[in-house]
Amino acid sequence: MKSALSLTLFALGAHASCPRSVLKALSAAYVEAQTVGNHSFIATLGRSSPNFLYIENNAVLGNLSMSSLAVPIKPDAHRSIHDVEQCASVTEIIAATQEHPYVLHTRILWQATPDNLSVTGINLVESVVTDEGDWLFNATGTLNLNAPEKWDPIPVAAQDTRAKIQSLGDWYFDRFGDVNRGDVPWHAEPCYRLEGGLPARGTKQGEDCIHVMPASIKVPYRRYVVDEEMGAADIFMGFPGLDRTQGQAPMPDSHLFRVEGGKVRYCHTVSACVTAGCGIGEIDWPDRK
Ligand SMILES: *[C@@H]1O[C@H](CO)[C@@H](O)[C@H](O)[C@H]1NC(C)=O
Ligand SMILES: *[C@@H]1O[C@H](CO)[C@@H](O)[C@H](O)[C@H]1NC(C)=O
Ligand SMILES: *[C@@H]1O[C@H](CO)[C@@H](O)[C@H](O)[C@H]1NC(C)=O
Ligand SMILES: *[C@@H]1O[C@H](CO)[C@@H](O)[C@H](O)[C@H]1NC(C)=O
């Protein structure tokens, strides 16, 4: 029998710990459903949660048969990370070889019972779905660059803490707005960010990789999923739109980081431009001129 306090914490969504094995089975089932465009898997679990929300590229959709969940998206590559503490997952799907290519990142907050932690529903699905025309979109490029990367589980003794892993992702986005934040610690290999389908290369300096970045961009609305075993943090956030001066809303964006030994190894971005240009033309990228 759980104490009233832990039930309260659960109700507040503070710590809804879920077994990794359960999360892995669920994210695998999501990939299977997405492959054939069967939205019923998510819809059925969503109906068990009173406050279920499905958000795709920042739009709340009530009818999942009108969403990308109902479109067959067959992964050429995919990976999921699992946040045991938050009962959450993020899945990256790269579909490069089908007629309509896609790359997506999908964050799911699963709902578990407090008694035995069986997962009974879904509270939130948030997906950044990119295709032709989105920021540096090229699914073939994403697939090719992703292929040699190693995202093996990190042995327990070598794992960074949740706080450490998340802090590297935060450092990256804080650096966008403050040059004094200093360079994000980054491994010398392979020394690129996989941005859309292009490698945004840094400069190797000994054991490190230095990325040239702008310093005038505030990156708000960060939502985190952290997996210690994968050394991964995914941050969903708002990336400033083309015309911030006219109140342009930040665009939906997700960055997936792999951290090894306190330094970033990989970073994958998906940025849906929706109505703005994801900042193209406005951001002062020193290395893109
Ligand atoms: C779609 O998913 C639902 C719920 O998971 C399942 O019952 C159904 O058999 C699936 N349909 C197909 C065609 O795969
Ligand atoms: C959802 O959209 C589908 C496809 O357009 C439609 O057939 C169905 O009636 C809609 N369901 C609801 C509840 O509006
Ligand atoms: C888990 O707990 C819920 C109530 O919170 C109960 O309905 C369900 O039967 C339990 N499942 C198992 C496998 O014990
Ligand atoms: C996409 O990436 C592939 C692999 O790097 C490259 O061959 C192709 O030219 C790219 N397509 C476009 C439109 O840039």
Side-chain angles (χ1 to χ4, degrees):
M1 171 93 191
K2 292 270 162 112
S3 70
L5 177 63
S6 70
L7 285 176
T8 307
L9 285 175
F10 190 88
L12 293 171
H15 283 280
S17 174
C18 284
R20 180 176 295 276
S21 57
V22 171
L23 290 174
K24 280 187 172 171
L26 289 163
S27 64
Y30 156 68
V31 171
E32 208 174 296
Q34 182 67 78
T35 302
V36 295
N38 182 1
H39 67 284
S40 303
F41 171 68
I42 298 286
T44 304
L45 282 164
R47 274 194 289 276
S48 312
S49 290
N51 298 315
F52 173 68
L53 259 187
Y54 177 83
I55 304 171
E56 182 173 316
N57 292 345
N58 282 5
V60 175
L61 300 182
N63 186 344
L64 298 194
S65 69
M66 314 278 279
S67 77
S68 292
L69 291 171
V71 177
I73 300 180
K74 189 177 172 304
D76 296 296
H78 66 89
R79 72 171 50 80
S80 295
I81 68 168
H82 304 97
D83 190 323
V84 168
E85 221 170 89
Q86 292 193 77
C87 205
S89 60
V90 168
T91 299
E92 173 181 49
I93 292 179
I94 305 167
T97 54
Q98 66 182 30
E99 194 182 339
H100 183 145
Y102 290 94
V103 178
L104 45 147
H105 287 187
T106 301
R107 182 172 78 104
I108 303 180
L109 299 186
W110 307 90
Q111 171 192 269
T113 63
D115 298 352
N116 50 29
L117 301 179
S118 33
V119 170
T120 55
I122 292 178
N123 292 325
L124 174 84
V125 177
E126 179 179 25
S127 212
V128 179
V129 179
T130 64
D131 60 2
E132 190 64 43
D134 286 315
W135 170 255
L136 303 178
F137 182 82
N138 180 341
T140 308
T142 310
L143 186 65
N144 291 350
L145 286 160
N146 173 74
E149 294 184 357
K150 288 197 173 58
W151 291 67
D152 300 338
I154 296 173
V156 175
Q159 286 174 11
D160 288 304
T161 62
R162 285 180 75 75
K164 181 72 187 179
I165 296 165
Q166 181 173 319
S167 76
L168 269 294
D170 270 330
W171 190 332
Y172 179 85
F173 289 116
D174 292 347
R175 174 62 186 77
F176 267 80
D178 181 7
V179 71
N180 295 320
R181 192 68 183 78
D183 293 321
V184 178
W186 210 294
H187 287 283
E189 295 296 338
C191 200
Y192 64 76
R193 310 183 295 274
L194 180 38
E195 249 189 61
L198 281 183
R201 296 192 193 283
T203 307
K204 284 178 203 176
Q205 280 183 14
E207 305 279 285
D208 297 305
C209 170
I210 309 298
H211 288 277
V212 179
M213 291 164 77
S216 56
I217 312 287
K218 298 282 181 239
V219 183
Y221 313 132
R222 301 179 197 176
R223 287 91 70 196
Y224 306 93
V225 171
V226 180
D227 180 338
E228 298 93 327
E229 189 183 282
M230 284 281 262
D234 198 300
I235 305 184
F236 279 63
M237 48 35 242
F239 211 84
L242 185 60
D243 195 0
R244 281 179 297 153
T245 55
Q246 291 174 28
Q248 177 68 60
M251 291 297 108
D253 196 306
S254 159
H255 280 45
L256 173 61
F257 297 90
R258 160 90 167 188
V259 173
E260 295 172 11
K263 287 163 78 169
V264 176
R265 174 72 68 185
Y266 306 122
C267 171
H268 293 184
T269 78
V270 289
S271 313
C273 297
V274 191
T275 56
C278 290
I280 296 169
E282 186 205 72
I283 294 176
D284 186 23
W285 285 100
D287 56 345
R288 300 269 166 83
K289 294 223 168 109

